[in-house]
Amino acid sequence: MAKEKTTFTCAECGGTSPRWLGKCPSCGAWNTLIEQVAEAGPGKNRLSTPQGYAGLANAQPVLPLAAIEAQDVARTPSGIDELDRVLGGGIVEGGVVLIGGDPGIGKSTLLLQAMDALQRAGLPTLYVTGEESGAQVALRSRRLGIDGSQVQLLAEIQLEKILATVEATQPAVVVIDSIQTTYSDQLTSAPGSVAQVRECAAHLTRMAKGTGIAVILVGHVTKEGALAGPRVLEHMVDTVLYFEGDTHSQFRLVRAIKNRFGAVNEIGVFAMTEKGLKGVSNPSAIFLSQHSEPVPGSCVMVTLEGTRPLLVEIQALVDSGGPSPRRLSVGLDKDRLAMLLAVLHRHAGVACMDQDVFVNAVGGVRISEPAADLAVMLSITSSLRGKALPRGFLAFGEVGLAGEVRPAPRGQERLKEAAKLGFSVAVVPKANAPKKPIEGLTIHAVERVEEAMNVVRGL
């Protein structure tokens, strides 16, 4: 019997090579070439037929942009407010959503709850599970307290059978759990390979656009935390969501990385309970540690996650170091911390050259925006002096190398959120000072770092 011809395919980019190489010739990644049986010729692969490449819709005449009627997309609320916030208001007809996250983080739990809520709202739903049996999913639904659920369940991993079932049942929303376990008969490679993931996702996307059925794909992540499979998977879909959080912690974040129908970098906050995931309506409470009295080295700032202002506590600890002091930050950029310490010394006369400096954002949140600069500097100064900032104090603003305090985007919304949660004193950039006073909030507008330090000393 003739030996089957094999090729080596890159797991990162999908490029092929006739023999194994340490480095992929296409993208330059190391140790990513995986041996697999060569795909069948053009005669067998239906993707190479004219029907395989059929357009997503009927041919349209060429029109100028101004002549095309712009219509808002209709959305169906999923019944879970935090998930709707991340999706941009709800599930879009014919939209394709890809949700990825670590094993055991709660992807299947959340989607099972969402499908049940949609079904109870009168929408036909189909849950396709390739990783668990129907009995396992039923057991989980009982554990979550979802009794008498009419969600249609299919335990299947073959793409052709899934497409035939979708055509026969005509659901409004389909969940594929997961895209890495799905395979097509037309390809000889194993499920989860670059070719299988790419082609199965392409067929499901084509089906969604052609029929108006919303499709939600569950994706695995690699040990680096990125979605497994080719990067083209993220380009194909309309929305990419990442499930984040520590499996030992009660709280989970769902973050939108890409969204054709809404804002990106929007987050939804969930708490994992015995009855599944519950939305957290006031997530600022998670990121503010509870002190009975103000403590040195603690300063609250308002950060933005998408359109949502969040209050986060920044904590600093300055301790006497040795000949080579340490600079450590958790949740904030380490290089930025070194820069802020230099600005603090040069423009405010606060020296930390011989001190260990540790900075932490409470609650495991990651802050990537520079609006945290002023709060970091004030918390470092507070810890160094051993004097606590007053109760109900907050600060935000970007600090430049010349010592100037630059404005943060959407400052009014940040201040209103702080006032709503009972904060009374704020140090903000001059450009963010509101024209009308905000009730219950005393605002000190500053232009330079030394001004901010003097205001704080006066308090």
Side-chain angles (χ1 to χ4, degrees):
M1 184 178 169
K3 185 175 179 288
E4 285 188 314
K5 189 183 175 190
T6 60
T7 59
F8 291 85
T9 306
C10 174
E12 295 284 334
C13 69
T16 56
S17 167
R19 60 197 179 89
W20 187 87
L21 300 166
K23 185 179 181 181
C24 169
S26 302
C27 67
W30 287 92
N31 295 327
T32 55
L33 291 176
I34 298 163
E35 185 177 20
Q36 58 186 42
V37 178
E39 304 300 353
K44 186 183 174 188
N45 187 351
R46 73 169 171 175
L47 299 178
S48 62
T49 64
Q51 295 81 7
Y53 286 122
L56 298 181
N58 297 329
Q60 298 287 331
V62 177
L63 292 170
L65 198 55
I68 299 171
E69 187 184 349
Q71 295 176 329
D72 274 343
V73 286
R75 299 177 183 279
T76 307
S78 66
I80 300 173
D81 292 342
E82 289 294 302
L83 182 60
D84 289 340
R85 170 194 279 277
V86 181
L87 290 170
I91 291 169
V92 176
E93 188 179 301
V96 184
V97 178
L98 173 65
I99 181 164
D102 293 335
I105 201 101
K107 301 183 295 293
S108 303
T109 300
L110 178 67
L111 292 175
L112 193 59
Q113 287 177 258
M115 289 302 102
D116 183 66
L118 284 166
Q119 177 268 318
R120 288 179 196 272
L123 281 180
T125 56
L126 176 65
Y127 192 99
V128 181
T129 172
E131 306 199 335
E132 299 172 289
S133 66
Q136 284 174 299
V137 178
L139 189 66
R140 185 195 294 128
S141 75
R142 307 286 190 281
R143 200 171 67 237
L144 297 175
I146 302 173
D147 298 319
S149 176
Q150 297 301 308
V151 174
Q152 301 294 311
L153 187 76
L154 172 68
E156 182 56 68
I157 61 172
Q158 192 186 334
L159 177 72
E160 286 74 22
K161 288 181 184 173
I162 293 169
L163 291 173
T165 307
V166 169
E167 198 173 326
T169 56
Q170 287 297 308
V173 187
V174 178
V175 170
I176 308 291
D177 186 7
S178 66
I179 189 66
Q180 272 81 14
T181 57
T182 312
Y183 76 97
S184 169
D185 262 355
Q186 307 298 320
L187 302 173
T188 54
S189 51
S193 64
V194 170
Q196 287 284 13
V197 170
R198 185 176 59 224
E199 297 305 343
C200 291
H203 276 276
L204 290 163
T205 304
R206 194 172 296 136
M207 180 269 293
K209 301 302 176 193
T211 59
I213 296 169
V215 175
I216 301 175
L217 308 174
V218 176
H220 294 173
V221 292
T222 61
K223 60 186 176 186
E224 287 82 25
L227 278 158
R231 198 65 197 256
V232 74
L233 184 61
E234 293 184 45
H235 291 287
M236 268 190 242
V237 300
D238 298 311
T239 306
V240 180
L241 307 180
Y242 272 90
F243 225 117
E244 297 175 3
D246 186 358
T247 46
H248 305 296
S249 163
Q250 178 190 0
F251 298 103
R252 307 279 191 274
L253 299 181
V254 177
R255 190 183 298 272
I257 301 298
K258 168 190 174 180
N259 195 350
R260 288 178 181 153
F261 305 117
V264 290
N265 280 335
E266 195 66 81
I267 67 161
V269 185
F270 293 91
M272 181 63 89
T273 67
E274 288 180 1
K275 296 292 182 186
L277 287 155
K278 298 276 188 292
V280 178
S281 55
N282 179 20
S284 292
I286 304 166
F287 306 122
L288 296 175
S289 64
Q290 309 299 317
H291 302 298
S292 53
E293 289 296 322
V295 294
S298 169
C299 181
V300 175
M301 60 97 44
V302 193
T303 185
L304 278 182
E305 286 285 359
T307 58
R308 165 182 258 165
L310 285 180
L311 277 88
V312 177
E313 183 178 349
I314 305 290
Q315 291 184 334
L317 176 64
V318 180
D319 195 17
S320 55
S324 54
R326 297 181 68 195
R327 307 278 185 259
L328 188 68
S329 66
V330 179
L332 296 139
D333 187 10
K334 191 163 55 180
D335 296 332
R336 197 156 189 92
L337 173 61
M339 187 187 86
L340 292 175
L341 288 170
V343 174
L344 201 57
H345 179 219
R346 182 68 180 269
H347 295 287
V350 179
C352 300
M353 284 98 65
D354 56 345
Q355 306 283 321
D356 287 340
V357 180
F358 305 97
V359 178
N360 174 39
V362 172
V365 69
R366 286 200 304 275
I367 301 172
S368 54
E369 63 165 355
D373 291 354
L374 195 56
V376 169
M377 292 174 108
L378 292 175
S379 60
I380 289 169
T381 311
S382 166
S383 177
L384 183 66
R385 301 265 189 263
K387 290 184 179 174
L389 293 163
R391 186 182 290 281
F393 177 89
L394 76 106
F396 63 84
E398 180 185 349
V399 175
L401 287 177
E404 78 279 16
V405 179
R406 298 168 177 270
R410 311 230 312 269
Q412 309 297 311
E413 288 178 40
R414 297 178 197 245
L415 290 169
K416 282 173 185 165
E417 178 75 8
K420 196 167 74 181
L421 289 168
F423 283 79
S424 55
V425 185
V427 173
V428 301
K430 196 163 190 179
N432 286 135
K435 292 181 176 68
K436 292 179 185 172
I438 295 173
E439 191 181 345
L441 192 62
T442 307
I443 293 165
H444 299 276
V446 296
E447 286 185 307
R448 297 193 56 77
V449 172
E450 48 268 42
E451 265 185 77
M453 295 297 165
N454 289 334
V455 166
V456 172
R457 284 192 196 103
L459 296 170

